[in-house]
Amino acid sequence: MERYFAPCPRGLETALADELQRLCAGDIEPADGGVAFAGALELAYRANLESRLASRVLWRVGDGAYRDERDVYALAYHRDWPRWFRADRTLRVDVAATRSPLKSLEFATLRIKDAVCDRHRAVAGKRPTVSKDHPDVRVHAYLTADHATFYLDTSGEPLFKRGYRRETTEAPLRENLAAGLLRLAGWQPGTPLLDPMCGSGTIAIEAALMALDIAPGLKRTFGFQKLAWYDGPTWQRIKQAAQRRAKPPVPIGIYASDDDASAIQRCAANLVTAGASGVVSVERVDALARAAPEPPGVIVTNPPYGVRQADSAALAAFYPQLGDALKQRFAGWTAYLFSGDPRLPKLIGLKASRRTPLFNGALECRLYEYRLVAGSARRAHAVIK
Ligand SMILES: C[S@@+](CC[C@H](N)C(=O)[O-])C[C@H]1O[C@@H](n2cnc3c(N)ncnc32)[C@H](O)[C@@H]1O
């Protein structure tokens, strides 16, 4: 039984644990910022291919107690790196830490890199070379106050890089965060879905991939393909089974719109690359004027917000108008608004029935749930202090 850790955007740990359960993982333990789990090596192939929420799948290769950099070097040196990858692979080491007493994580990273390379030289007479940008193999170390854990990254490029998004708007959501919003909203294929401020279309595209049962990793390669245990025929079998499962792209009640012409163009181009063109209805229209598709469904959207979009006064004026538009045109729908702007819930004039904290990178955000039942709206808009 192998042990793994899958990091994910903070706030999605429970949803990721559910997803891993559906992939038949064992010993599932959500932690802060990811989920630990266990299973055979084959599970690494499937988790990379199928997980919509994980950022990576790390394969745990050892751990131990440490007090200083020398201990960290010794712990790393005593892992059997030459058994796991060849010395002619290029290498990158990343270290993350919580409450580590070490003065410099950069120095710890260097020492781990030295240990891995020294071990290779001792066994094979050859050292791997370092590549920061396009490494074949990534080693991750996680340091707590007194414990170091080492991982080999089975993903390579992070899993939110699905390979469909060539065209982005200014503030695109990461694909796994978009998929996570859909999961937290409880959206299921078959229920109408609208993103009225779709930008490059990430939410709608993730929904389309879910509805068509297209595995998110079908269009890319993975780090495990550079590891010694990689078994090509097994991988092909798993991948082909996923390919056979995919449904043909037909319109399925997913709607994306934006008032920006270039965003709409990008969204349409990304849908083509994702193999989901024709599935999502894409339209250029102002969210404040948009009519509700029939029958009622779910809105999941990521309105513009202050940190990235300079015009904060315009936003303060926009939120109450958005609240009014939702009230007037979307009775019967449930809206999920994802935002890092604390003014949104104060100014929108609707009462949130749920607020889920989430992180978009380092930015603390919330997913606000609004049940748009006629007459449920708060009368007056609160005033911000
Ligand atoms: C934060 S971005 C959404 C990013 C998107 N989730 C993605 O992954 O690419 C907000 C989007 O809202 C759009 N927008 C702003 N005001 C709008 C309005 N009144 N009607 C429709 N779209 C609007 C912007 O053009 C922008 O694309």
Side-chain angles (χ1 to χ4, degrees):
M1 196 77 141
E2 308 299 328
R3 295 172 74 186
Y4 301 99
F5 186 78
C8 66
R10 280 166 66 199
L12 290 182
E13 295 90 344
T14 311
L16 174 57
D18 291 346
E19 186 180 62
L20 289 166
Q21 187 138 36
R22 285 197 297 277
L23 293 171
C24 301
D27 296 348
I28 296 171
E29 271 180 49
D32 198 16
V35 179
F37 63 102
L41 278 180
E42 257 193 56
L43 181 61
Y45 299 179
R46 295 188 57 239
N48 274 295
L49 177 64
E50 303 281 358
S51 176
R52 299 186 193 276
L53 306 186
S55 301
R56 298 179 173 282
V57 177
L58 306 177
W59 176 49
R60 182 172 173 151
V61 295
D63 68 320
Y66 79 97
R67 268 181 311 198
D68 54 25
E69 288 85 356
R70 269 178 308 175
D71 296 339
V72 173
Y73 176 93
L75 281 171
Y77 185 83
H78 287 103
R79 305 298 109 209
D80 198 354
W81 307 106
R83 184 153 65 95
W84 300 320
F85 66 92
R86 300 196 314 252
D88 61 356
R89 298 294 194 196
T90 56
L91 174 71
R92 173 183 167 130
V93 177
D94 286 284
V95 177
T98 35
R99 293 186 303 275
S100 166
L102 299 188
K103 284 202 188 69
S104 159
L105 286 189
E106 218 169 306
F107 185 58
T109 309
L110 265 178
R111 293 308 286 150
I112 294 168
K113 187 267 296 169
D114 287 344
V116 176
C117 291
D118 291 351
R119 179 68 186 231
H120 261 289
R121 194 169 52 187
V123 172
K126 211 171 153 203
R127 299 168 67 94
T129 50
V130 169
S131 166
K132 282 239 149 70
D133 295 333
H134 301 290
D136 295 323
V137 173
R138 294 164 198 251
V139 170
H140 292 254
Y142 178 62
L143 306 177
T144 63
D146 54 7
H147 204 86
T149 310
F150 299 95
Y151 300 94
L152 274 165
D153 184 345
T154 67
S155 302
E157 286 288 296
L159 296 180
F160 52 78
K161 297 197 177 169
R162 317 275 204 231
Y164 67 70
R165 197 163 66 182
R166 309 260 153 76
E167 305 278 351
T168 62
T169 43
E170 265 177 52
L173 282 181
R174 284 187 173 168
E175 291 80 341
N176 58 341
L177 183 53
L181 300 181
L182 291 162
R183 289 270 164 78
L184 292 176
W187 176 77
Q188 294 286 342
T191 303
L193 175 77
L194 166 66
D195 179 353
M197 287 165 276
C198 68
S200 60
T202 321
I203 295 171
I205 295 172
E206 287 299 314
L209 295 182
M210 287 180 193
L212 300 179
D213 210 0
I214 296 178
L218 275 178
K219 284 188 189 292
R220 49 163 286 163
T221 58
F222 296 99
F224 60 74
Q225 292 172 277
K226 301 282 172 65
L227 297 179
W229 48 254
Y230 170 59
D231 171 11
T234 301
W235 169 232
Q236 287 310 320
R237 175 173 54 73
I238 291 172
K239 194 171 159 175
Q240 281 161 11
Q243 270 157 346
R244 280 195 296 273
R245 231 175 50 205
K247 298 180 185 140
V250 291
I252 41 176
I254 301 177
Y255 305 86
S257 54
D258 200 290
D259 68 347
D260 181 67
S262 63
I264 289 302
Q265 254 170 19
R266 292 185 189 111
C267 174
N270 289 336
L271 274 161
V272 172
T273 320
S277 134
V279 177
V280 176
S281 140
V282 182
E283 210 182 327
R284 182 182 175 193
V285 53
D286 188 331
L288 302 179
R290 137 130 246 164
E294 283 287 341
V298 173
I299 291 173
V300 180
T301 196
N302 165 216
Y305 52 83
V307 172
R308 296 189 189 216
Q309 325 250 344
D311 197 347
S312 91
L315 277 179
F318 176 68
Y319 294 144
Q321 291 174 319
L322 179 63
D324 286 344
L326 291 175
K327 250 181 286 185
Q328 282 158 18
R329 297 167 196 264
F330 288 88
W333 286 65
T334 305
Y336 293 86
L337 270 50
F338 177 67
S339 179
D341 188 340
R343 295 175 308 167
L344 181 142
K346 296 179 181 163
L347 291 174
I348 198 160
L350 301 167
K351 192 169 161 36
S353 41
R354 192 151 56 104
R355 295 172 196 80
T356 310
L358 278 163
F359 279 78
N360 187 3
L363 182 66
E364 189 174 351
C365 297
R366 297 265 185 287
L367 181 64
Y368 300 98
E369 178 191 80
Y370 300 105
R371 295 186 178 281
L372 302 166
V373 182
S376 72
R378 245 194 288 156
R379 284 280 145 239
H381 297 135
V383 178
I384 41 166
K385 295 181 185 102

